[in-house]
Amino acid sequence: MAKKTVASLQTSSKRLTKAIKMVKSPKTGAYMFVESVMAPEFVDGFLNKK
């Protein structure tokens, strides 16, 4: 499951995007959020990766 919250961040030299997804822990079964700041073209790969 992915929480598709994507916020665009503008810096002086590069355009970056912050992506947040919700992943289930294999040990406890609890959900946790994983955040990453990356270029916009890598967001789909980040959200589809398990």
Side-chain angles (χ1 to χ4, degrees), residues 25-42:
S25 172
K27 290 183 179 179
T28 63
Y31 286 96
M32 57 187 173
F33 294 98
V34 178
E35 298 181 13
S36 183
V37 176
M38 66 196 79
E41 57 268 10
F42 298 121

Side-chain angles (χ1 to χ4, degrees), residues 1-46:
M1 292 181 84
K3 180 180 179 183
K4 292 188 179 183
T5 302
V6 177
S8 294
L9 304 174
Q10 185 71 34
T11 62
S12 61
S13 62
K14 291 184 180 179
R15 181 184 160 117
L16 299 174
T17 302
K18 181 178 182 181
I20 304 169
K21 73 176 177 178
M22 188 169 66
V23 294
K24 189 173 186 178
S25 172
K27 290 183 179 179
T28 63
Y31 286 96
M32 57 187 173
F33 294 98
V34 178
E35 298 181 13
S36 183
V37 176
M38 66 196 79
E41 57 268 10
F42 298 121
V43 172
D44 286 333
F46 173 74

